[in-house]
């Protein structure tokens, strides 16, 4: 079982400290044995975490900064909202991150949900049905941008006259789709994703979601084993480590091979928390298969 570190709480205070703290946290994750470092693609802090006007750094600028501060860890959004960037520009952005990080990018993407920041910043927020249509077209556009096909793309929501993307990524970025919606999200996971990330923390519910995903795979002719399963298990592992590990063991039995953990909201020492993950949690995760 692998560890991903999810960083979402940019602590209030001196803005000059945000960059060094972010870099030190990512470096601690890498040194501690985590295999991915992820950020949330938002512009306001999520109200489930803090206040909308708490400090929050733009994600892809931050990942580009981290590409120069780390050596081996995979860098990605968990996950990009499809509404925030035109897909051709998103493909170019992720390609650039991949080149600058020497092949350590991943395309994490979802249908977007944070209505407040859309309305506040003037970003169109279509109905959910349209956002899922946009998501599927974005997945198709990114795949075409990262192929030998430089021709046009004609969709309902996006029309590209050319799909040139030079330089191409060093490594074809794996596609991660986040979410657990049974009718739309899991169907897109079955058809397009290399990695699925769920935030379902109840094991029995996760069993059901995996069954739904497997049925979608059958419909599109995909082997479910081709899709890596990851789960956000963001509660504090140190509050009750034995119980936490029992949950992780049940995840492993279901084929999950990475859990995302992060400094909890308001933690005054995110670097220390991540170092503790490396010292105390990572060795135990490695024993779980």
């Amino acid at each position: 079982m692998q560890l991903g570190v999810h960083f979402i709480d940019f602590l209030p205070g001196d803005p000059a400290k945000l960059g060094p703290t972010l870099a030190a946290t990512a470096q601690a994750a890498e040194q501690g044995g985590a295999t991915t470092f992820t950020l949330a693609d938002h512009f306001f802090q999520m109200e489930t975490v803090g206040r909308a006007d708490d400090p929050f750094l733009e994600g892809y600028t931050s990942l580009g900064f981290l590409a120069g501060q780390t050596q081996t860890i995979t860098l990605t959004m968990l996950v990009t909202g499809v509404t925030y960037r035109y897909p051709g520009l998103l493909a170019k952005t992720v390609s650039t991150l991949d080149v600058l990080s020497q092949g350590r990018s991943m395309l994490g993407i979802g249908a977007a949900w944070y209505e407040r920041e859309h309305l506040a910043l003037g970003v169109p927020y279509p109905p959910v049905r349209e956002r899922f249509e946009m998501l599927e077209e974005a997945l198709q556009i990114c795949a075409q941008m990262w192929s030998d096909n430089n021709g046009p793309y004609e969709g309902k929501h996006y029309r590209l006259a050319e799909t040139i993307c030079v330089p191409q990524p060093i490594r074809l970025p794996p596609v991660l789709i986040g979410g657990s919606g049974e009718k739309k999200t899991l169907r897109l996971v079955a058809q397009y994703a290399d990695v699925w990330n769920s935030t379902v923390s109840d094991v029995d519910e996760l069993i059901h979601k995996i069954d739904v995903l497997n049925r979608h795979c059958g419909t599109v002719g995909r082997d479910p084993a081709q899709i890596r399963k990851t789960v956000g298990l963001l509660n504090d592992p140190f509050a009750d480590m034995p119980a936490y590990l029992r949950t992780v063991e049940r995840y492993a039995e279901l084929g999950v091979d990475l859990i995302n953990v992060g400094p909890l909201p308001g933690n005054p020492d995110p670097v220390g928390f991540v170092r503790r993950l490396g010292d105390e949690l990572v060795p135990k995760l490695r024993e779980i298969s």
Side-chain angles (χ1 to χ4, degrees):
M1 180 69 72
Q2 296 181 6
L3 174 69
V5 171
H6 188 48
F7 191 94
I8 57 173
D9 191 12
F10 300 94
L11 298 173
D14 182 358
K17 295 181 180 179
L18 294 180
T21 299
L22 177 62
T25 305
Q27 290 163 354
E30 184 173 76
Q31 293 161 7
T35 59
T36 64
F37 191 88
T38 60
L39 301 175
D41 190 23
H42 291 294
F43 303 91
F44 294 174
Q45 177 59 277
M46 296 166 284
E47 292 168 299
T48 55
V49 174
R51 303 175 305 169
D53 57 357
D54 283 345
F56 209 87
L57 297 179
E58 192 280 321
Y60 280 104
T61 308
S62 300
L63 290 178
F65 166 70
L66 291 177
Q69 303 287 327
T70 56
Q71 299 295 322
T72 61
I73 201 164
T74 296
L75 303 169
T76 187
M77 293 293 193
L78 196 65
V79 293
T80 290
V82 70
T83 51
Y84 295 131
R85 299 164 187 85
Y86 285 108
L89 302 183
L90 175 62
K92 182 67 175 182
T93 299
V94 175
S95 299
T96 300
L97 176 63
D98 194 79
V99 169
L100 296 180
S101 68
Q102 293 294 294
R104 294 187 284 128
S105 75
M106 183 184 296
L107 171 63
I109 193 166
W113 60 270
Y114 198 174
E115 183 176 13
R116 178 175 176 175
E117 66 185 0
H118 285 78
L119 299 179
L121 299 177
V123 179
Y125 189 66
V128 64
R129 176 184 57 81
E130 292 184 26
R131 299 202 306 275
F132 274 98
E133 292 173 349
M134 293 163 64
L135 176 57
E136 182 159 19
E137 290 188 14
L139 290 163
Q140 294 169 353
I141 290 167
C142 287
Q144 183 167 325
M145 293 277 290
W146 297 331
S147 74
D148 294 333
N149 182 358
N150 292 337
Y153 175 90
E154 292 287 335
K156 177 179 178 181
H157 298 278
Y158 303 110
R159 294 170 179 82
L160 286 70
E162 299 177 274
T163 50
I164 296 171
C165 187
V166 181
Q168 286 279 292
I170 292 174
R171 178 192 69 159
L172 182 64
V175 173
L176 179 153
I177 296 177
S180 299
E182 297 182 11
K183 293 183 178 180
K184 295 181 179 180
T185 301
L186 292 181
R187 195 271 298 174
L188 293 176
V189 172
Q191 188 164 353
Y192 295 101
D194 303 295
V195 185
W196 170 46
N197 183 261
S198 173
T199 57
V200 172
S201 58
D202 180 81
V203 175
D204 291 332
E205 183 181 357
L206 185 61
I207 291 172
H208 170 70
K209 298 293 185 181
I210 291 173
D211 181 63
V212 173
L213 175 59
N214 291 343
R215 292 201 301 269
H216 281 301
C217 285
T219 299
V220 301
R222 182 96 182 271
D223 180 357
Q226 295 177 333
I227 302 170
R228 185 183 188 191
K229 300 179 183 68
T230 68
V231 173
L233 192 59
L234 300 176
N235 53 307
D236 186 356
F238 305 116
D240 187 344
M241 181 70 79
Y244 192 91
L245 292 173
R246 285 194 295 270
T247 299
V248 174
E249 287 172 351
R250 293 197 65 189
Y251 284 166
E253 292 169 357
L254 299 175
V256 174
D257 70 359
L258 181 145
I259 58 167
N260 293 291
V261 185
L264 301 176
N267 189 320
D269 183 16
V271 179
F273 179 87
V274 170
R275 286 176 178 156
R276 190 179 177 192
L277 290 176
D279 291 340
E280 300 180 32
L281 182 60
V282 168
K284 293 179 172 61
L285 293 179
R286 286 173 175 164
E287 297 173 359
I288 298 173
S289 62

